[in-house]
Amino acid sequence: MNSKITAIGVYAPSKIIPNDWFADKIETNNEWIISRTGIKERRFSEPDEYTSDMCVKAVQNLLAENPGITVDGVDFILVGTTTADQVMPSMASQVQNYFKLPNTGCLDIMAACAGFVYGLILAKGLIAAGTHKKVLVLGAETLSKFTDYTDRTSCILFGDGAGVALVEASEKLKIFSGVTGSDGSHGKDLYLSQHASVVNGEQIDPNGKIHQNGKVVFKWAVQTMSQKVRELLSINHLELEQLDWVILHSANLRIIEAVASELNYPMDKMLTSIEQFGNTSSASIPLSWDLASKAGKIKPGNKILLLGFGGGLTYAGVIVEV
Ligand code: COA
C-alpha cells in the first residue's frame, strides 16, 4: 500500500524573541544575526510549557484547521525530538494519552533536526508493510530550555516549535522513496550532553546544553545536502525541474542559499521558516510547509522535496506529492 500526507498542523509558542533580546546578554547585534543566519526572531516556550504540550497543540491545530479530519483510527505515533520532557515516558505516549487513542504504537525518534523526515519515511514503511493505516508524525522541540546563553555562536540560532503530519494509506504513490544516513564521526561537532562526558572517545562538556562546531556543521551540511538532493531525484527518476518546492531544514539561511546555488535551483522555490522561527530542529520542516501553505504557495499536485539534517551528524530526505 502507498501512503500520503493528508494534513499538516503546527504550533509555535506566543512569546516572540527578537534579535535585540540578546544584545544585553552577549556581545552581538541584530545586523550580525540577520546577515550571518537570516534569523529575525524566534519563539520561546513558557517555563512550564514542554515538548509534549506543544505536540498536543500541533495536533489540535491540525484538527481545527482541517474539518472532517479526526484522530480516530490513528494506529501509530512517531515523534522526532531531542528535547523531550523526560527520557520516559515518550512524547508519543503522552500524545496517545491526551487523545485517548487505543492500540496505537508509540515511539520517539532521536534524529535531531532530521527527526520529522525520518518519521515520514518510517510511517511510509509501516503502511507499506500493511500493518498500519493512519500515522501521526511529529517534530517538536523546546530548544530554548537546552541552549547555552553564554555561547554567542549558538544561542542566537535556536527557537521552539512543533509540527505534525497525518500520514495515511493511499492508492496512489504520494510519498516517494527516501534517503537516510549518518556520519557518526562528527558526533562531537553537534551535541546535547546528558550523562556521559565523552563522545567517540573525545571529551565533551557534560552541562546538558547544546554545543556545536558551527563552521564544520555548515560545510558538511552544504556538501552533503546538495549530494542528497541529487540522490533523491535519481532514485525516484525525477529531474530537479519537476520539483515545485524544496524544504531543507531551516538551520541557517546561508546554508539554504549555498545548497540552492550549488544545485542551480531558484532560491524562491526553497521554502524556509528561519526568518520567523530560527532553527527549530525537527519542527522546522513542517513550520516551513505551513507558512508556504498559508501564503497560498503549495497547491494540490505539487511535488516537494523535504530534507532534514542535524546532530549525529545525520540526515533524512524524501519527496512527497501533495
Ligand atoms: N554576534 C556577533 N558576532 C559573532 C557572533 C554573534 N552572535 N557569533 C560569532 N561572532 C563572531 C565570531 O566571534 C567571529 O569573530 P572573529 O572573526 O573576530 O573571530 C565572527 O563573528 C565570525 O564568526 P564565524 O564563526 O566565522 O561565523 P559564521 O559565519 O561561521 O557563523 C554560525 C556562525 C554558527 C552562524 C554558522 O557557522 C552556522 O550557522 N553554522 C551551522 C550551524 C548549524 O546549522 N547548526 C545546527 C545544525 S542542525
Side-chain angles (χ1 to χ4, degrees), residues 97-158:
N97 180 53
Y98 185 89
F99 291 100
K100 300 287 176 237
L101 300 169
N103 308 316
T104 303
C106 288
L107 190 65
D108 286 1
I109 304 166
M110 268 216 212
C113 314
F116 177 77
V117 182
Y118 267 99
L120 292 179
I121 292 169
L122 292 173
K124 172 185 163 74
L126 288 168
I127 291 170
T131 50
H132 296 80
K133 288 193 168 61
K134 194 168 176 181
V135 184
L136 286 175
V137 176
L138 294 106
E141 306 285 0
T142 45
L143 294 170
S144 66
K145 293 178 168 51
F146 299 88
T147 297
D148 177 355
Y149 292 101
T150 64
D151 175 9
R152 71 173 179 161
T153 66
S154 69
C155 72
I156 44 102
L157 297 172
F158 303 117

Side-chain angles (χ1 to χ4, degrees), residues 27-29 32 36-37 113 152-153 156-157 190 212 214-215 217-218 249 251-252 254-255 279 309-310:
E27 204 186 322
T28 192
N29 57 73
W32 191 94
R36 306 310 288 166
T37 71
C113 314
R152 71 173 179 161
T153 66
I156 44 102
L157 297 172
L190 185 51
Q212 67 170 8
K215 275 191 192 307
V217 177
F218 194 107
H249 162 50
N252 183 323
R254 285 165 48 231
I255 293 178
N279 179 344
F309 61 90

Side-chain angles (χ1 to χ4, degrees), residues 56-125:
V56 166
K57 287 173 186 161
V59 177
Q60 286 173 327
N61 287 343
L62 180 151
L63 297 175
E65 290 175 15
N66 294 277
I69 286 187
T70 73
V71 288
D72 294 350
V74 165
D75 46 26
F76 216 104
I77 304 171
L78 292 161
V79 179
T81 187
T82 346
T83 53
D85 311 11
Q86 62 278 318
V87 175
M88 62 179 183
S90 67
M91 300 300 91
S93 293
Q94 287 177 269
V95 174
Q96 178 278 329
N97 180 53
Y98 185 89
F99 291 100
K100 300 287 176 237
L101 300 169
N103 308 316
T104 303
C106 288
L107 190 65
D108 286 1
I109 304 166
M110 268 216 212
C113 314
F116 177 77
V117 182
Y118 267 99
L120 292 179
I121 292 169
L122 292 173
K124 172 185 163 74

Side-chain angles (χ1 to χ4, degrees), residues 43-63:
R43 305 293 180 96
F44 281 3
S45 49
E46 296 299 326
D48 61 351
E49 185 178 38
Y50 292 94
T51 297
S52 63
D53 303 314
M54 304 210 315
C55 287
V56 166
K57 287 173 186 161
V59 177
Q60 286 173 327
N61 287 343
L62 180 151
L63 297 175

Side-chain angles (χ1 to χ4, degrees), residues 82 110-115 118 181-184 186-187 189-191 212 217 220-221 225 249 251 279 281-282 307-316:
T82 346
M110 268 216 212
C113 314
Y118 267 99
S182 197
D183 182 352
H186 281 293
D189 290 322
L190 185 51
Y191 66 88
Q212 67 170 8
V217 177
W220 175 86
M225 294 316 110
H249 162 50
N279 179 344
S281 189
S282 65
L307 184 53
F309 61 90
L313 296 172
T314 191
Y315 60 84

Side-chain angles (χ1 to χ4, degrees), residues 208-229:
K209 302 288 180 196
I210 302 164
H211 295 260
Q212 67 170 8
N213 186 341
K215 275 191 192 307
V216 171
V217 177
F218 194 107
K219 227 172 137 182
W220 175 86
V222 173
Q223 270 171 7
T224 313
M225 294 316 110
S226 306
Q227 275 169 23
K228 295 302 151 189
V229 169

Side-chain angles (χ1 to χ4, degrees), residues 259-309:
V259 170
S261 159
E262 176 76 28
L263 294 167
N264 200 16
Y265 192 70
M267 194 49 205
D268 61 3
K269 288 183 157 209
M270 305 287 288
L271 304 176
T272 85
S273 51
I274 191 82
E275 189 178 309
Q276 302 89 333
F277 297 110
N279 179 344
T280 53
S281 189
S282 65
S284 94
I285 288 176
L287 282 168
S288 302
W289 180 313
D290 183 70
L291 283 173
S293 187
K294 291 194 170 129
K297 291 183 177 175
I298 297 177
K299 306 230 164 41
N302 279 183
K303 283 193 180 61
I304 314 176
L305 186 149
L306 313 175
L307 184 53
F309 61 90

